[in-house]
Amino acid sequence: MTRKTALSRRPPLARVLLLGAATLTFSSQGAHAQAMPEPLYVKAGHVMLDPAVGTFETDKTLVVQDGKVTGIVDGFAVPAGAHVIDLRDRWVLPGLIDSHVHLTSDVEEGSGRTLSAAAQAMNGIGKAQIMLNQGFTTVADLNGEAEAVFALRDAVDEGLVMGPHILAAGAAIAAHGGHGDVNGQRREVVLALRSPSVCSGADDCRRATREMIMMGADLVKVAVTGGVLSNTNAGLGQQLTDAEIAAVVDAAHHMGRRVTAHAHGADGIEAFLRAGGDSIEHGTFIDAEGVRMLQKTDRYFIPTLLVGEIITRKAKAPGPGGMSPAQREKALAVGPKMIDAARRVHAAGARIAFGTDVVSNGPETANAREFVLLTQAGLSPLEAIRTATVNGADHLGLSAQAGALTPGHDADLIAVSANPLQDVSILQKVSFVMKTGHVVRD
Ligand SMILES: [Zn+2]
């Protein structure tokens, strides 16, 4: 489940390719470009080394070598001739983590199912660059055409294209005819486009889970309830049976993968947590029992408030607005309720990780708008920052690499021009991005 695990799968051929022309073009962005022999010194006027502590320390220099933070020193004295990045007028934080994106398709553009896998992967290259430029140095892709998403992840890992570290689920495990299947098409089309991740019966859902892992899933996504953007009026309650959900969780855990659930209805949320699942995406209709179970099991809740805001706006817009009647009805049921769910989960003290369910660079849909929405749900700016740093890393099993800048962590960092603890919306205007020691945006 760690990036290391994912990397060990890579064929040696790709490393050979890196020695070719691609190195010249992309090495400054690649996660595995040649290690720098000399340390790099990042002078930070204000730096939040560990969001779990949550304070900005002033006038520190971060020593970066081999893509990692190797030391923190007081003040700005560096050896003569050293390679220096000057962020003395900025607020520096760990790179952000969005635990719920769709790089090869998104809510603004529909499912993209009619595109070839190759075209979807190409689509993802642009989205990956946008995410990284906005300061998201690690993302979890939670549903897409499996071949496209895995190819994109691997290309970023090999330094062939620019993007954040990607953990990829491939296609979501889902019920035949449910959220995640190809709905609203004639049968021949459905059969041609249907993902191998769609299943019926516990054995078949175990098969689907194993097949996604075989294809390359770092983690498993399962759609346990209906969803807004599937073109069917099948509701928002539990769709996979208790036995099917248990089989998915069991199969994933036996292969060392975490499982996260798309879940709106309270019945699906509770069935998934009872089955030992790891985290809840959306969680729109979570009830008191669901919140109690979240706390008791210490699982993460990913509120995806940004997609809630976007689908509400789309559903209320006059005219068809790109939504079918079935989608519009569900969007109006879900969108306005998401912030209330986040408010109740946060008030109860359950753990929250940052996830948007979108990838966009429009001013009203930039992923970092989620920070503002989280504060509207009652989180302090620091609590909101934690969801996208230490909590996100913990949720994805990446605490040793990501989410903090204390020595030993990857040199994934961002900078903004004002204190985000005073105005968290400044995170929508990230002005500097470094990924594994390489400057991506300056
Ligand atoms: Zn999603």
Side-chain angles (χ1 to χ4, degrees):
M1 171 59 236
T2 63
R3 291 203 291 271
K4 212 170 192 116
T5 313
L7 284 173
S8 64
R9 236 184 5 253
R10 305 283 181 270
L13 174 63
R15 305 229 179 262
V16 176
L17 288 176
L18 262 186
L19 300 174
T23 311
L24 298 174
T25 313
F26 291 108
S27 66
S28 69
Q29 324 295 358
H32 299 283
Q34 270 73 28
M36 276 177 299
E38 298 297 323
L40 174 66
Y41 295 86
V42 180
K43 297 179 176 180
H46 310 263
V47 58
M48 186 179 284
L49 296 171
D50 184 358
V53 177
T55 50
F56 275 106
E57 299 183 45
T58 53
D59 297 355
K60 297 283 182 190
T61 298
L62 283 70
V63 186
V64 172
Q65 196 160 15
D66 291 338
K68 290 189 177 297
V69 179
T70 56
I72 314 286
V73 294
D74 292 332
F76 298 128
V78 298
H83 186 179
V84 170
I85 307 275
D86 187 355
L87 301 174
R88 285 177 295 176
D89 61 348
R90 258 51 90 81
W91 277 256
V92 175
L93 300 101
L96 305 173
I97 301 168
D98 190 330
S99 299
H100 189 146
V101 302
H102 302 282
L103 291 164
T104 55
S105 62
D106 77 23
V107 67
E108 294 290 281
E109 296 167 15
S111 71
R113 274 192 203 279
T114 52
L115 299 176
S116 69
Q120 291 181 54
M122 292 295 166
N123 196 18
I125 292 173
K127 298 279 172 56
Q129 290 181 349
I130 289 168
M131 291 293 295
L132 185 57
N133 277 327
Q134 291 182 354
F136 291 86
T137 52
T138 302
V139 303
D141 189 296
L142 295 189
N143 185 39
E145 172 89 29
E147 286 182 2
V149 178
F150 296 144
L152 175 65
R153 174 201 58 196
D154 295 352
V156 171
D157 272 349
E158 297 298 346
L160 301 175
V161 300
M162 187 171 85
H165 304 288
I166 299 169
L167 289 186
I173 311 302
H176 281 117
H179 184 60
D181 200 358
V182 183
N183 293 291
Q185 307 280 340
R186 58 183 286 174
R187 181 172 161 75
E188 294 91 324
V189 174
V190 172
L191 293 178
L193 296 182
R194 176 174 273 164
S195 163
S197 63
V198 179
C199 61
S200 286
D203 282 350
D204 193 37
C205 291
R206 188 176 288 111
R207 186 272 316 152
T209 305
R210 289 173 173 169
E211 197 160 337
M212 268 309 122
I213 293 169
M214 177 274 291
M215 289 177 74
D218 299 306
L219 74 172
V220 170
K221 166 86 173 293
V222 56
V224 300
T225 74
V228 171
L229 296 179
S230 41
N231 187 21
T232 170
N233 59 355
L236 294 159
Q238 186 175 341
Q239 291 187 337
L240 288 174
T241 65
D242 287 5
E244 288 168 335
I245 294 169
V248 171
V249 172
D250 186 58
H253 285 175
H254 273 94
M255 291 193 179
R257 264 64 172 181
R258 296 181 185 202
V259 191
T260 194
H262 159 103
H264 290 294
D267 51 358
I269 293 167
E270 289 159 31
F272 181 72
L273 292 174
R274 265 198 307 277
D278 298 296
S279 47
I280 299 290
E281 311 289 329
H282 316 304
T284 310
F285 301 112
I286 191 167
D287 60 12
E289 173 61 9
V291 173
R292 192 194 64 77
M293 289 178 74
L294 263 185
Q295 287 176 289
K296 186 166 163 252
T297 54
D298 210 18
R299 299 315 200 200
Y300 276 101
F301 187 84
I302 298 90
T304 67
L305 303 178
L306 181 55
V307 78
E309 184 175 73
I310 292 171
I311 60 171
T312 303
R313 186 166 56 233
K314 277 185 90 163
K316 285 182 173 169
M323 276 189 174
S324 72
Q327 289 170 329
R328 182 182 300 259
E329 186 187 329
K330 289 182 289 181
L332 291 173
V334 163
K337 290 263 170 30
M338 282 180 152
I339 199 156
D340 176 56
R343 193 175 287 122
R344 287 183 288 115
V345 166
H346 173 254
R351 302 200 290 176
I352 293 178
F354 182 107
T356 59
D357 202 6
V358 300
V359 175
S360 177
N361 61 349
E364 292 176 340
T365 56
N367 297 59
R369 176 156 170 76
E370 184 81 11
F371 289 109
V372 174
L373 299 173
L374 286 167
T375 60
Q376 288 174 11
L379 280 73
S380 68
L382 175 58
E383 287 171 326
I385 288 168
R386 283 177 178 148
T387 68
T389 53
V390 281
N391 288 14
D394 183 36
H395 159 55
L396 296 173
L398 299 174
S399 294
Q401 299 108 294
L405 291 171
T406 45
H409 284 89
D410 286 355
D412 294 345
L413 61 87
I414 63 166
V416 288
S417 61
N419 185 346
L421 296 179
Q422 280 161 18
D423 179 6
V424 81
S425 74
I426 192 71
L427 293 172
Q428 289 174 255
K429 296 174 188 157
V430 167
S431 57
F432 176 90
V433 182
M434 172 181 284
K435 181 191 163 197
T436 45
H438 297 281
V439 177
V440 171
R441 175 175 186 166
D442 192 5

